[in-house]
Amino acid sequence: MKSSSPLKWFASREGLYYLALALLLVVILPLALDPFRLNMVGKYLTYAFVAIGLVMCWGKAGILSLGQGVFFGLGGYCMAMFLKLEASTPEATAIQSTPGIPDFMDWNQLTALPWFWEPFHSLSFTLIAIIAVPVILAFVIGFAMFTRRVGGVYFAIITQAIAAILTILIIGQQGYTGGVNGITDLKTLAGWDIRTDAAKTTLYFVCVGMLFLCLFAARFVQNRKLGRILVAMNAQENRVRFSGYDVAAFKIFVFCLAAAFAGIGGALFTLIVGFMSPSFIGIVASIEMVIFCALGGRLSILGAVYGALLVNAAKSGFSESFPELWPFAMGALFIGVVLAFPNGLAGLYQSYVMPLEERLFKRKPKTEAAAPAPQKPVEKKDEGRDYDPMLDQYSPEKS
């Protein structure tokens, strides 16, 4: 793909998959859905950021994190803190005993804004913190774990424990975080009312744009030497280490990359939904995010987007009609993915749909002229024949 132009790439099979997703999100859904339903789709797409990060972290590098909700929540809380401070002007909070601070702080008898809230008066600082805070925490966790060669199920359990600890911490510090209710009643972003239908639609398109930026960033990583090293590290970690590569550094990088994606998704979730609470950080939320990735296909960044959309749409449908059955449906879905189609929807597409595409679009005519003289095959690197565009998977035999 290095020598091919963007137009040639968009005409390829992989490019057509991206164009189909863009057509669905930018044209079809906005025309077919009312503002309320479109806002719900925007909410579903925020989870796709986490799923894309899990594809890079789990599918490519083999690092299963059961605590991605932590990074999603940190990004969301950073944005919520800015929005809450903007809504807590002295004029708007004049009835409080201490005007100028968020309402839940006044309820808990705080008389001054905590020091770590002060920087979030700045939108620029908030935008940096949305990515920096999750990445810093991911770096600390990754450095502590991967340099000691902690991985596999042990790493998964540790990340799950971190999600539980952060949830308990947020709930316990109600005066500083809003407690179990979270940070609510968010109204404006830099003076722009985010509660109107027009604002919700605008935020939906912003979410779609950011989603494609993250998709292309993930694609850039996986299509470079770094992506090949991640895949090799997943298959034969010791061989990669003995080849002279610092395996811990690569693991820390991809874990921080997944945290950055999750932080962006959390911030957009806060803007679209209008609040952030610890229920989106805990163990249940984090495991659901893994299911989004597993259903779409843990080897496919595009499959992760479709997985997040489908699981959340099913969750909304079940919750509206049979709310008590959804946990059982989610468990059955996860078991079915593991046992029946471990590569998710992307694997099913590759197994059943792609062969049909080959027959429909690449089948030769039945009557042909005399066969031309055989020619020496020429390798065409820009066709990406060592690359499966649906599973995003390189074939070592052809690489």
Side-chain angles (χ1 to χ4, degrees):
M1 299 294 295
K2 292 181 181 179
S3 61
S4 61
S5 65
L7 290 177
K8 190 173 182 180
W9 178 79
F10 278 116
S12 68
R13 171 181 278 176
E14 183 188 8
L16 290 176
Y17 291 145
Y18 280 83
L19 287 175
L21 179 62
L23 181 66
L24 174 67
L25 298 180
V26 178
V27 179
I28 296 176
L29 292 180
L31 291 176
L33 301 177
D34 58 77
F36 174 76
R37 293 293 177 183
L38 189 66
N39 184 59
M40 291 184 66
V41 174
K43 171 187 170 183
Y44 304 159
L45 288 177
T46 61
Y47 291 117
F49 289 85
V50 188
I52 294 170
L54 279 169
V55 168
M56 301 302 298
C57 188
W58 178 31
K60 305 298 180 184
I63 305 167
L64 175 58
S65 171
L66 297 180
Q68 290 303 102
V70 169
F71 310 118
F72 183 84
L74 287 175
Y77 266 94
C78 287
M79 177 57 74
M81 290 165 74
F82 171 79
L83 298 177
K84 190 62 176 178
L85 288 177
E86 187 172 341
S88 302
T89 60
E91 296 79 13
T93 57
I95 62 172
Q96 296 179 181
S97 57
T98 306
I101 64 174
D103 48 12
F104 57 83
M105 293 184 184
D106 186 65
W107 300 337
N108 287 274
Q109 299 180 354
L110 270 67
T111 57
L113 192 68
W115 62 268
F116 58 88
W117 274 74
E118 291 288 352
F120 289 95
H121 282 291
S122 168
L123 178 59
S124 300
F125 177 86
T126 301
L127 294 177
I128 295 172
I130 285 167
I131 297 177
V133 173
V135 167
I136 290 172
L137 179 60
F139 178 83
V140 172
I141 297 171
F143 185 82
M145 296 295 105
F146 299 137
T147 55
R148 292 169 174 79
R149 299 189 183 182
V150 176
V153 65
Y154 303 104
F155 181 79
I157 293 173
I158 289 171
T159 54
Q160 193 174 56
I162 292 172
I165 291 169
L166 186 60
T167 303
I168 295 170
L169 180 64
I170 291 174
I171 294 174
Q173 299 298 317
Q174 182 172 338
Y176 300 99
T177 63
V180 69
N181 294 323
I183 301 178
T184 60
D185 197 23
L186 309 178
K187 301 175 181 178
T188 59
L189 173 65
W192 177 50
D193 192 345
I194 61 174
R195 298 168 297 176
T196 65
D197 287 344
K200 298 286 187 184
T201 303
T202 302
L203 288 172
Y204 168 81
F205 285 108
V206 171
C207 182
V208 171
M210 292 300 299
L211 179 66
F212 273 93
L213 285 178
C214 290
L215 280 171
F216 285 118
R219 180 183 176 276
F220 178 84
V221 170
Q222 73 176 10
N223 283 4
R224 294 299 182 269
K225 182 180 179 181
L226 173 58
R228 293 174 181 258
I229 293 174
L230 293 177
V231 174
M233 188 174 66
N234 184 10
Q236 292 289 340
E237 181 176 323
N238 287 330
R239 287 191 180 184
V240 175
R241 182 178 289 111
F242 295 152
S243 298
Y245 293 103
D246 188 348
V247 171
F250 286 105
K251 287 186 174 182
I252 292 171
F253 167 78
V254 74
F255 190 51
C256 291
L257 180 67
F261 288 166
I264 295 171
L268 289 168
F269 177 91
T270 300
L271 285 170
I272 290 173
V273 177
F275 73 97
M276 174 54 68
S277 76
S279 61
F280 303 107
I281 295 178
I283 294 174
V284 174
S286 296
I287 292 177
E288 285 184 353
M289 293 170 185
V290 174
I291 295 176
F292 303 157
C293 175
L295 178 67
R298 64 186 180 92
L299 298 173
S300 172
I301 55 177
L302 285 179
V305 177
Y306 289 108
L309 285 172
L310 290 175
V311 173
N312 281 284
K315 181 179 180 180
S316 296
F318 266 88
S319 299
E320 291 173 1
S321 304
F322 310 100
E324 68 281 355
L325 295 180
W326 171 244
F328 300 99
M330 177 70 83
L333 181 63
F334 189 65
I335 294 172
V337 168
V338 172
L339 297 180
F341 45 104
N343 287 328
L345 296 176
L348 292 177
Y349 187 94
Q350 186 201 34
S351 300
Y352 298 104
V353 179
M354 288 179 68
L356 295 177
E357 291 179 354
E358 295 288 342
R359 292 198 211 104
L360 289 174
F361 300 109
K362 294 187 177 182
R363 183 174 57 184
K364 294 181 180 180
K366 293 182 180 179
T367 58
E368 294 182 351
Q375 297 180 357
K376 183 179 179 180
V378 178
E379 182 182 0
K380 296 182 180 180
K381 295 183 179 180
D382 59 345
E383 288 186 4
R385 295 190 182 278
D386 61 338
Y387 176 71
D388 186 326
M390 199 58 199
L391 290 179
D392 305 320
Q393 186 176 28
Y394 287 97
S395 172
E397 294 80 12
K398 298 181 181 179
S399 300

